[in-house]
Structure formats: C-alpha cells, structure tokens
Amino acid sequence: MSMPLFAQRLKSGAAYSREASALVSRYKKELTQMRRNLITENTDSSEWMSPYFYKLFGPGVFYRSALDGKFKLDYTLPGLDSSVQTTDMIAEHQRLNASIDDVLMNAYAQSPRLFHYSDAQIASVTTVSPVNVTGTKAEDLTSIYNKVEEIKDVADVVDSVDVDIQIVKPNFWKTSGKFSLQFTQNYFSENWYKGGNNNVTLLSNLVLEANYNDLNRVTWDNKLDLRLGFVTATSDSIHRYLTNNDKIYLYSKLGIKAAKNWYYTVSTEVNSQFLPGHKANDRRTYSKFLAPLDVYVSLGMDWKPKFKNGNTFSLALLPLSYKMRYITDEEETIHASYNMRGKDFQQDFGSRIELNSKIKIVKDLMWKCRFYYFTSYEYVEAEMENVLSFQFNKYISSEVYTLWRFDDNRSRKYYDNTLGFFQFKEYFTLGLAYNF
C-alpha cells in the first residue's frame, strides 16, 4: 500500500509539503484536545473534524473534484445541495475544501508519480449495504423448538461412525522408590607405619513412598525407610562384624483440609530395627528386633505450603500425642538401656512437632530434612536427620548423612560430659543407587 499522501516528500516545490504538514498538524492537535475534553466553548472544532481530510491521510488518489473546484463555474461543495442557501458554516467548509484542493493540485502538477488511483476506481467498488435484521421475540421461539425433531439415539445422528469414548479415572496416587548399596574396604599390612584396622563396610538403604492427594480436601503421606549396614573390625575379639546402621521406619500421615495450606491431621510413626545391637568387645546386647518397638500416634494441624520443582515442606503441630514403647526381649541390658527396668511396656502422653522437607538445591543435588520433637513434660526426645544426596547419573550417587539425637530419658551412663544427652552420627557414602 502507498504511504499516506502527507508523509510523501516532493522533489521540487515545498509549498505542498509545508501547507499539508500544517493542516495535518492542526488536525491532530484538535483530535487530541477532543479526546482529553480540553476544547473550550470558543473553539470551533467543526472545521478540523471535516471528513475532507481523508484526501490527505489516505494513499495518493487523483480526485476530479479538485479540478472541478478550480475550473468548473457551477461547482458545488460535495455533499451539499446547490439549493441550500449559503451560510457562514457552508462558506467555512468551502474555504477548507478549497485549501485542500490547492494542496492536491500542487501535488498533481509537481509529483504525478505519487498518485496510483483515481476516484473513479474507488467509486466503482461495490460496497455491502447493511441488512436490516428483524429480532425474534422470545415467545416466537417456541414454535421453532417444536419443529426440531427430538434425538432419542445418538446412532440416528452419527449413523455408522464408530464413537470410541473412554473414561479415564484420575490417579491421585504418586509413588516413588530408591534403593542404594554402598561398599567400602580398607586393608593395612601388618608393618604399616601408622598402624590401622582392616575393615569392610557395607550399607544398604531402601526407601518407598506412596502419597495421595485429591487436589481438593484429602492428603495421605506414607513412607517406609529400611536401612542395614555392617562394618568388620579386626580389633574386636568377640564379634566378626557389627551393625553400624540398622533401622525400620514406617510413617503415615492423613490430612483433611481446613483452610489454605492448613490440614487437620493424624500421624503415626513406628520405629524398630532388624538385628541385635552390640558394642565392640562387649558380649551384652543393647537392642534387638522389636526391642524396643516405638509407636507414636498424634493429632493436630499440618501446614503444607505449595512449591514448584517438586519441592515439599510440611510442619505439623501436634498438641495431642501418644507414645508407646514395648520391649519384647527379656534381656536385662536392653531394659536398663532404655530406663525400663522390670517392665516391658511403657506409655506416655505429651506433645509433638514434626517437620519434613525435600528441597532441590540445584539439578541432581537434593536436601532432605526430618525433624521431630516429643515431650511428655517429664522428658524430651528429639531427632534431626539431614541427607544431602548428589545423583551423578542413573546408577551412581553419593550421600552425606547426619543425625542429631537428644534423649534425656536414658540411663545416666549415656550422659556425656561434653555433649550431655545429645548424640551425633555421620557418614559419607558413594555407590550404586536406583530410583524408581
């Protein structure tokens, strides 16, 4: 499309450019003032709202009316009947139209190459006239509806077309699992100048998770964490190997939505171990399978904000909590170790706080944190577990594991002059890992 006529630059004669620019500039100014309602009562804006300005804003068109205005004696202003008496308004429109004709005549004479169309071509274009549509009253629609045949069977419409409709029930369960196996080995010759103990370390870990979320009211989180590790030590004259990691952990938490990110919740936790626990060069047993068996049942509120990138966070405030500890073995050392001499069963009521989070720091680097705090208002038991894992590829990963524990309900011999009743455990592993 050609450029607007006022924007085209003439090679010779600046009269057209100056006059056209002045007209267009004032026309724009008047439009801006009208938009802002700033035109005063004394301003005659009708001149600058004249429809004849389209001749300057549109592409170059040869208008015969411009020539008629200059050379025809009985010329009448377009759009006005010659019988209408001349008024001040008509005279003003004629003056404006004459100015526009002067601009066009100068352009026709000096730069005819700018004009690619004529008004005769534009007049020959067929326009679509608006069609008068008669509205239908609401009560007249009943007669139309009655003429429509009722469809009683879809087959009558689709005929022989096969319609295959499958209803897929949404799956609100999200399951995951991880199995890892780490292995380390150290050997020292008998004459090694720094000395040392030969040892082999093996650690296996299986984590299964099944979480339900209907995206409306109900959430149900379930986790099973099984760990078993061994270490051999030649300095131990009694045992060929010792367990350095032994854990059975089952956790379940049901939540009913109360408000945004808040849930009424009930949580259950079960803790035990697989094999007997011993100390180096000590024949006594300090723990066994289901000795002890710890069970927690708690009621309260759970705050679970929503995060992106698979990150999760849960903080449960559980003012009503029940703890049950049961020792199935008659070994006196086990009973004494857990301050339960002469009894196999113990229950306490108190309050509990639980925190569980899973945060992706960067790609393939994950930080998991688990914290709980239980108090019977007579003693305190708390644990904080942190796992920093890096996944090198699909099958190789490493972990840094730390566990802080506080329990002042144990025998006094577990009290340390430096740490008090705090206990600490840490290990670093590198080995096979598979996520599923």
Side-chain angles (χ1 to χ4, degrees):
M1 181 180 287
S2 302
M3 294 175 60
L5 189 59
F6 78 89
Q8 301 183 19
R9 185 179 182 87
L10 302 179
K11 288 185 177 180
S12 61
Y16 164 69
S17 297
R18 287 196 301 269
E19 187 171 355
S21 297
L23 289 171
V24 171
S25 177
R26 186 172 177 184
Y27 181 62
K28 287 183 175 181
K29 182 178 179 181
E30 294 291 340
L31 286 178
T32 303
Q33 289 180 347
M34 289 190 67
R35 291 191 187 101
R36 298 178 181 177
N37 297 322
L38 297 178
I39 298 179
T40 62
E41 296 180 357
N42 298 328
T43 303
D44 184 8
S45 61
S46 61
E47 172 185 345
W48 302 107
M49 292 302 294
S50 172
Y52 300 131
F53 274 101
Y54 74 88
K55 296 179 181 179
L56 299 181
F57 280 91
V61 177
F62 180 80
Y63 294 97
R64 182 172 295 276
S65 60
L67 275 68
D68 292 343
K70 294 297 181 182
F71 302 109
K72 194 172 181 181
L73 297 178
D74 58 346
Y75 172 73
T76 303
L77 186 67
L80 295 177
D81 193 339
S82 59
S83 62
V84 177
Q85 295 182 356
T86 302
T87 63
D88 293 341
M89 183 191 71
I90 295 177
E92 187 64 21
H93 276 259
Q94 288 177 335
R95 183 193 63 77
L96 178 60
N97 194 58
S99 299
I100 296 174
D101 289 345
D102 289 340
V103 173
L104 293 175
M105 288 297 295
N106 289 334
Y108 294 159
Q110 296 180 17
S111 297
R113 61 180 179 78
L114 299 178
F115 301 91
H116 307 287
Y117 310 99
S118 67
D119 53 0
Q121 291 175 302
I122 297 176
S124 63
V125 176
T126 303
T127 59
V128 179
S129 301
V131 179
N132 294 328
V133 179
T134 303
T136 303
K137 296 182 179 180
E139 55 268 19
D140 297 338
L141 296 176
T142 305
S143 60
I144 299 176
Y145 295 152
N146 294 333
K147 294 179 181 179
V148 179
E149 184 178 354
E150 182 181 358
I151 300 175
K152 297 181 179 180
D153 190 350
V154 178
D156 296 338
V157 180
V158 300
D159 197 14
S160 59
V161 178
D162 293 333
V163 179
D164 186 11
I165 300 177
Q166 295 181 352
I167 300 176
V168 179
K169 185 179 180 180
N171 184 11
F172 297 121
W173 285 95
K174 183 178 180 181
T175 59
S176 63
K178 180 178 180 180
F179 176 76
S180 61
L181 183 64
Q182 281 82 30
F183 175 83
T184 59
Q185 184 263 342
N186 290 291
Y187 173 77
F188 303 89
S189 64
E190 293 183 1
N191 62 345
W192 181 249
Y193 74 106
K194 288 186 177 181
N197 291 321
N198 301 334
N199 64 79
V200 176
T201 302
L202 178 67
L203 175 63
S204 61
N205 184 203
L206 174 64
V207 179
L208 302 176
E209 294 188 50
N211 301 321
Y212 177 89
N213 187 349
D214 67 354
L215 306 177
N216 185 21
R217 291 185 56 82
V218 181
T219 63
W220 187 16
D221 300 333
N222 300 276
K223 181 178 181 180
L224 176 64
D225 189 350
L226 305 177
R227 300 182 189 181
L228 186 58
F230 303 94
V231 58
T232 61
T234 56
S235 61
D236 191 340
S237 59
I238 299 176
H239 309 98
R240 295 183 58 185
Y241 62 86
L242 297 172
T243 57
N244 63 346
N245 212 315
D246 193 353
K247 179 180 180 180
I248 300 176
Y249 173 78
L250 177 62
Y251 179 76
S252 182
K253 181 174 63 176
L254 177 66
I256 306 296
K257 191 169 186 179
K260 183 179 181 181
N261 298 331
W262 283 95
Y263 294 81
Y264 301 112
T265 188
V266 52
S267 71
T268 303
E269 180 179 311
V270 179
N271 287 299
S272 189
Q273 65 185 60
F274 289 100
L275 301 176
H278 302 280
K279 293 183 178 181
N281 298 308
D282 189 346
R283 296 184 182 277
R284 291 176 295 180
T285 302
Y286 291 87
S287 60
K288 284 185 178 181
F289 177 65
L290 301 183
L293 170 65
D294 291 340
V295 178
Y296 298 86
V297 179
S298 306
L299 296 172
M301 298 289 292
D302 187 17
W303 182 55
K304 300 178 68 174
K306 297 179 181 178
F307 294 98
K308 298 181 180 179
N309 303 324
N311 296 336
T312 61
F313 182 89
S314 170
L315 176 62
L317 307 177
L318 309 165
L320 301 177
S321 185
Y322 168 77
K323 175 189 175 183
M324 184 272 290
R325 173 168 286 170
Y326 181 66
I327 298 178
T328 60
D329 198 273
E330 297 297 330
E331 182 81 31
E332 185 60 29
T333 308
I334 300 177
H335 288 263
S337 176
Y338 289 94
N339 202 18
M340 292 178 60
R341 289 182 175 90
K343 57 181 179 180
D344 297 332
F345 179 80
Q346 177 178 305
Q347 59 181 351
D348 295 293
F349 294 90
S351 299
R352 181 179 170 96
I353 298 175
E354 296 177 2
L355 185 148
N356 289 277
S357 66
K358 182 188 298 183
I359 298 175
K360 179 185 291 186
I361 301 175
V362 294
K363 183 180 180 181
D364 299 325
L365 182 61
M366 183 73 70
W367 172 45
K368 298 179 183 179
C369 179
R370 180 183 67 87
F371 170 80
Y372 84 85
Y373 174 94
F374 173 82
T375 177
S376 67
Y377 307 106
E378 293 181 358
Y379 69 89
V380 171
E381 181 181 293
E383 276 190 2
M384 185 173 182
E385 178 184 72
N386 288 279
V387 181
L388 190 66
S389 61
F390 184 80
Q391 193 78 25
F392 291 95
N393 54 42
K394 188 176 180 180
Y395 301 105
I396 305 296
S397 73
S398 67
E399 282 188 357
V400 177
Y401 176 91
T402 63
L403 176 63
W404 281 95
R405 179 178 174 83
F406 180 89
D407 187 357
D408 59 1
N409 191 35
R410 302 296 299 274
S411 173
R412 188 66 186 178
K413 68 178 182 180
Y414 288 96
Y415 182 85
D416 184 85
N417 293 330
T418 302
L419 297 176
F421 283 108
F422 278 101
Q423 302 170 31
F424 179 72
K425 179 180 180 180
E426 178 270 337
Y427 63 79
F428 170 79
T429 62
L430 175 65
L432 299 176
Y434 180 71
N435 293 280
F436 54 92

